Amino acid sequence: MKFKIKSICCIGAGYVGGPTMSVIADRCPDIKVNVVDINLERINAWNSKNLEDLPIYEPGLKEIVSRCRGRNLYFSTDLENNIKNADMIFISVNTPTKTKGVGAGMASDLKWVEASARQVATYSSNHTIVVEKSTLPVRTAEVIKKILFSVESNSKADRKSFEVLSNPEFLAEGTAINDLEKPDRVLIGGESKEAMDALTRIYLNWVPKNKILHTNIWSSELAKLTANAFLAQRISSINSIAAICEATGAEVKEVSRAIGTDNRIGSKFLNSGPGFGGSCFKKDILNLVYLSKYFGLEEVSVFWESVVKLNNWHQHRISKLIVTSLFGTVTGKKICILGFAFKADTNDTRESSAINICKDLLDEGAILFINDPKVNSDQIAKDLGLLETDILNLDEGNWYFAENMDIGFDNADAVVILTEWDEYSKINWKEVSKKMRKPGWVFDSRSIISDKSLNGSELNLWRIGGGSKIKNY
Ligand code: NAD
Ligand code: UGA
């Protein structure tokens, strides 16, 4: 008999849980989808009347939430009842790098996953399929199973039983809705054909069958870490080439285009930038490094760790070259930072390269005016570990939130583009130049501004991987 899923509960209403469950609710109107979280503030934000106040900014998300919320999509802090009534439970909680104890700085901290498994063990009733949505180290399913199976029961009065599946998420922030609606693939790892088929039937509501891959559970867990490691490796590779371009006069964009036309290499993920950020690349590679070390594969761990090391070096390389270009000192100089999010179209700043680059410049005594269309000043203060200073009291090593870009340009010595927001590629540099102190600099770490837009501006331009010449317009 087919196991029909009528009610889903997702533990974790974050960047993955929220959008993923919204799309499932949208595409499966017959399934009731409850998203639960221990964070009341976050749940209240998901339930806010004004859709501009949802806790996550993702293009296309608010339209789906407005269609489904209250119909078959609910956000709540009631873990007990929603777990109890669910046929299928997704665990989509955070899995950051451990900060202390064994494996600190490398291994994933699984305390939230373990807590979720214990909540499921306590509150569930009947047969429940538990799906790992979080990114997890290989063999985590074993831990979840041990916790769940310790409460499995054969008694008729209390018929708890479980199946555990791995169904990692491959969405990228900023394009989450499109990635969920048209995924390259959906990966399902498990041992029970019945449970895998039940999850497959959910996705078949909108994903073609040939894009739904079945593997064993360990391959599925490892494939997720591997995908992120390969993507991050491409960025470190092209950023290393950008440094060679700057030293030799080659142009990294031209090199990317030239190698990207080779079908075996492909053209995606070859944009040189300020280094990769985001909550996952670094954490997932470090997880792979830890696993390799744990299994005695020292050379493998060194290989993957170098991807993270190159990324750190690259971020500091950018702050150093800004200081060097401004006559070796930025003390007391005003620098306008454009973009704080780790990429465009998201309000997420986790591991954003802007954090390290801004911290370096503040340490050097610069006065930063920071603008971002979606990140607020509280978040920036938290990331920099430094409160914003009132505009009238600004001094060396302080920063101010420039809600309006123009205030950042006035008398600035440099403008540094760190996130590729569309509006930054449309700036009128001739006008901006009039407001800046001379010699004025633009540092374009995303390579988004055209030579044409700078013509006649009297500005110096440094562009990532942009050949040996600093251009003077
Ligand atoms: P997040 O921090 O945005 O959200 C996690 C949520 O889980 C938080 O709101 C937290 O309060 C909640 N939570 C933690 N423990 C809980 C518990 N015991 N009961 C109820 N709620 C609990 O994290 P995220 O970005 O959504 O990532 C979740 C997982 O998905 C991670 O493993 C991550 O690696 C993976 N992932 C993330 C992305 C991404 O783009 N962010 C993409 C693919 C995979
Ligand atoms: C990444 C993966 O792309 C997703 O498949 C994965 O699900 C997710 O991690 C995860 O597991 O969390 P995300 O971090 O949201 O998604 O965003 P990406 O588009 O991958 O960008 C990551 C970082 O790399 C950003 O800082 C971005 O600016 C940078 N990047 C990306 C480049 O510098 N150059 C590129 O060519 C592409």
Side-chain angles (χ1 to χ4, degrees):
M1 198 188 72
K2 283 183 182 172
F3 188 63
K4 187 158 167 42
I5 306 295
K6 293 186 285 294
S7 176
I8 286 176
C9 172
C10 174
I11 306 180
Y15 282 87
V16 170
T20 309
M21 292 303 125
S22 299
V23 170
I24 291 185
D26 198 29
R27 299 301 175 129
C28 311
D30 296 338
I31 300 178
K32 191 172 174 196
V33 180
N34 291 294
V35 189
V36 296
D37 204 295
I38 40 175
N39 182 336
L40 175 64
E41 204 186 324
R42 209 166 209 187
I43 290 297
N44 285 343
W46 278 112
N47 285 324
S48 51
K49 276 207 182 106
N50 184 349
L51 291 165
E52 298 302 324
D53 294 337
L54 294 182
I56 286 163
Y57 171 72
E58 267 304 330
L61 176 64
K62 66 178 184 214
E63 288 79 2
I64 297 181
V65 172
S66 100
R67 272 202 296 278
C68 303
R69 204 175 52 184
R71 180 191 78 182
N72 66 330
L73 175 67
Y74 303 89
F75 296 92
S76 133
T77 50
D78 181 359
L79 274 81
E80 180 171 345
N81 281 309
N82 285 308
I83 290 176
K84 196 158 135 197
N85 296 326
D87 310 309
M88 180 175 272
I89 295 175
F90 287 80
I91 298 182
S92 187
V93 298
N94 35 323
T95 51
T97 305
K98 273 182 93 170
T99 50
K100 56 184 178 203
V102 178
M106 283 197 183
S108 283
D109 192 341
L110 297 181
K111 74 176 178 200
W112 292 275
V113 173
E114 192 183 322
S116 303
R118 289 185 191 281
Q119 285 155 343
V120 175
T122 310
Y123 301 133
S124 64
S125 57
N126 292 317
H127 185 61
T128 311
I129 299 173
V130 178
V131 184
E132 298 175 341
K133 197 41 132 175
S134 297
T135 303
L136 299 167
V138 192
R139 299 203 80 88
T140 304
E142 213 160 54
V143 177
I144 295 178
K145 278 182 187 170
K146 274 191 187 145
I147 294 170
L148 296 176
F149 293 175
S150 66
V151 299
E152 261 202 351
S153 138
N154 292 322
S155 90
K156 282 200 173 155
D158 172 19
R159 293 156 53 126
K160 286 188 194 202
S161 62
F162 303 98
E163 287 297 343
V164 178
L165 300 177
S166 159
N167 172 221
E169 185 48 63
F170 295 99
L171 68 79
E173 287 176 32
T175 53
I177 300 303
N178 188 55
D179 296 343
L180 287 163
E181 291 182 334
K182 296 187 202 97
D184 284 350
R185 77 315 210 172
V186 165
L187 181 57
I188 300 175
E191 283 159 358
S192 150
K193 183 169 177 328
E194 195 193 28
M196 290 166 82
D197 286 347
L199 181 54
T200 303
R201 279 194 295 278
I202 293 178
Y203 283 110
L204 279 175
N205 282 298
W206 76 97
V207 180
K209 197 171 179 190
N210 63 352
K211 294 204 168 181
I212 303 179
L213 313 181
H214 286 189
T215 65
N216 82 30
I217 201 156
W218 319 126
S219 307
S220 172
E221 289 177 336
L222 183 57
K224 172 64 199 177
L225 293 183
T226 309
N228 274 0
F230 268 58
L231 290 170
Q233 174 269 121
R234 275 175 82 95
I235 301 170
S236 278
S237 297
I238 201 66
N239 284 341
S240 75
I241 298 302
I244 300 183
C245 287
E246 288 163 35
T248 58
E251 291 276 346
V252 77
K253 273 195 163 177
E254 293 179 354
V255 176
S256 289
R257 186 157 52 103
I259 64 166
T261 47
D262 185 326
N263 273 333
R264 294 166 304 173
I265 297 175
S267 60
K268 292 187 179 155
F269 261 71
L270 286 180
N271 291 326
S272 184
F276 59 77
S279 62
C280 296
F281 278 176
K282 184 171 159 196
K283 126 178 128 55
D284 292 348
I285 295 183
L286 291 176
N287 198 339
L288 208 54
V289 170
Y290 182 73
L291 279 173
S292 314
K293 279 190 202 289
Y294 178 83
F295 290 111
L297 303 166
E298 193 54 35
E299 285 73 10
V300 179
S301 78
V302 170
F303 174 74
W304 286 112
E305 197 170 9
S306 70
V307 173
V308 176
K309 283 189 171 159
L310 193 288
N311 198 51
N312 291 340
W313 169 80
H314 182 71
Q315 291 169 344
H316 295 301
R317 180 177 90 80
I318 292 177
S319 28
K320 268 191 205 147
L321 71 84
I322 293 172
V323 176
T324 308
S325 305
L326 298 182
F327 306 122
T329 176
V330 291
T331 308
K333 291 183 181 167
K334 176 171 169 182
I335 299 181
C336 175
I337 302 289
L338 296 184
F340 204 81
F342 80 97
K343 61 185 276 195
D345 290 327
T346 177
N347 60 346
D348 196 349
T349 60
R350 289 177 291 181
E351 298 292 338
S352 176
S353 296
I355 301 173
N356 276 340
I357 294 172
C358 288
K359 276 185 175 172
D360 284 350
L361 295 173
L362 290 168
D363 282 349
E364 294 274 347
I367 298 170
L368 302 185
F369 276 58
I370 305 177
N371 172 272
D372 190 288
K374 291 288 172 196
V375 180
N376 62 40
S377 57
D378 289 347
Q379 187 59 49
I380 297 174
K382 216 156 128 194
D383 290 331
L384 294 177
L386 185 68
L387 288 176
E388 182 189 4
T389 304
D390 186 275
I391 195 158
L392 299 172
N393 297 319
L394 283 168
D395 202 352
E396 292 169 11
N398 292 162
W399 69 276
Y400 178 76
F401 184 65
E403 202 161 354
N404 177 340
M405 268 188 268
D406 285 336
I407 197 175
F409 298 143
D410 280 333
N411 258 323
D413 290 276
V415 177
V416 183
I417 298 174
L418 294 180
T419 312
E420 72 282 25
W421 287 105
D422 195 38
E423 58 208 83
Y424 299 155
S425 61
K426 296 180 180 144
I427 291 173
N428 182 336
W429 292 104
K430 252 176 147 172
E431 288 305 312
V432 170
S433 167
K434 289 181 196 156
K435 301 179 180 176
M436 292 174 65
R437 200 158 80 139
K438 304 290 164 346
W441 279 86
V442 181
F443 296 90
D444 181 7
S445 79
R446 294 285 185 171
S447 200
I448 55 168
I449 54 180
S450 66
D451 290 291
K452 218 168 97 192
S453 69
L454 277 148
N455 275 340
S457 68
E458 292 179 59
L459 290 169
N460 296 309
L461 170 72
W462 170 87
R463 183 185 283 143
I464 187 93
S468 59
K469 280 179 288 172
I470 299 289
K471 294 193 179 150
N472 191 297
Y473 289 84

